[in-house]
Amino acid sequence: MTHRPLSKKGWLANYSELIGGWRRKPDADDDALDALQDAVLRMLEAGVGKVANPAAYLKRSIQNHKIDKHRHQTAFPSIPLDELDDHAVSELPGPEAEAHSSKLLADLQSALEELPLVCRQVYIHHRIEGCTHAEIARALGISTDMVEKHMTRAVRHLNNRLQHYA
């Protein structure tokens, strides 16, 4: 007696379809795949039955992730360190550059220590370790709204304390 494979139903069929579509693209977007994984995780944690239209939920979650990433890159443009030439790192020559960097680092550490512990942890997880707000919320056991509030408070505080370096 042969067994036929079970057909994929519901959200799993949509997930497989989205994954398969991206894998066939030559310019597959790893961030979109990560966003899809995060969306599926959120959907499973909340209960699949609570999502009325899993296909729309997954697609919209990925679109929202791409929009958030674009906004972040627009607000905080960055250049990879390996693309910087030696002269772009510091306009100050030799020992002055090292002294300036040491002073900036000391002032940053001091300003971070002035923040409440959770606020400091959120900033470090997000800006230094590169964690998403959802990852930080899970790690610290707080809501993503609280992560955003702590991040806003930390950035505002650091901007005020370090504005003379701008």
Side-chain angles (χ1 to χ4, degrees):
M1 190 165 160
T2 61
H3 294 284
R4 289 187 335 196
L6 296 174
S7 65
K8 295 180 181 176
K9 295 182 179 181
W11 73 271
L12 187 56
N14 297 311
Y15 174 80
S16 297
E17 179 183 324
L18 288 169
I19 290 287
W22 277 314
R23 286 192 177 144
R24 287 188 293 274
K25 291 182 181 180
D27 59 339
D29 185 1
D30 289 334
D31 287 332
L33 292 173
D34 290 342
L36 177 60
Q37 295 290 338
D38 290 342
V40 168
L41 180 63
R42 284 191 305 274
M43 188 172 65
L44 291 173
E45 287 174 343
V48 177
K50 292 184 179 183
V51 178
N53 186 342
Y57 175 82
L58 294 173
K59 287 179 182 176
R60 189 68 216 172
S61 292
I62 294 163
Q63 289 171 343
N64 288 345
H65 176 79
K66 287 183 174 186
I67 290 168
D68 289 346
K69 183 177 179 186
H70 174 73
R71 286 180 180 160
H72 187 269
Q73 288 174 341
T74 303
F76 306 105
S78 63
I79 299 171
L81 290 175
D82 59 339
E83 291 180 15
L84 286 175
D85 50 335
D86 293 336
H87 303 292
V89 176
S90 175
E91 296 177 8
L92 301 172
E96 291 89 2
E98 290 179 30
H100 180 76
S101 296
S102 295
K103 176 80 170 113
L104 174 59
L105 180 59
D107 288 349
L108 175 61
Q109 287 175 332
S110 174
L112 282 171
E113 288 173 5
E114 294 170 357
L115 291 168
L117 178 62
V118 175
C119 197
R120 184 177 342 136
Q121 289 173 327
V122 166
Y123 182 84
I124 291 170
H125 283 310
H126 185 65
R127 290 288 172 92
I128 297 175
E129 296 173 1
C131 297
T132 65
H133 286 195
E135 292 169 337
I136 297 166
R138 280 192 299 273
L140 298 179
I142 59 176
S143 69
T144 54
D145 288 340
M146 285 306 298
V147 170
E148 291 173 16
K149 288 177 184 177
H150 286 303
M151 191 64 195
T152 300
R153 180 179 181 184
V155 169
R156 187 177 303 126
H157 175 73
L158 293 173
N159 282 343
N160 289 337
R161 290 279 281 116
L162 304 173
Q163 67 184 352
H164 59 279
Y165 285 100

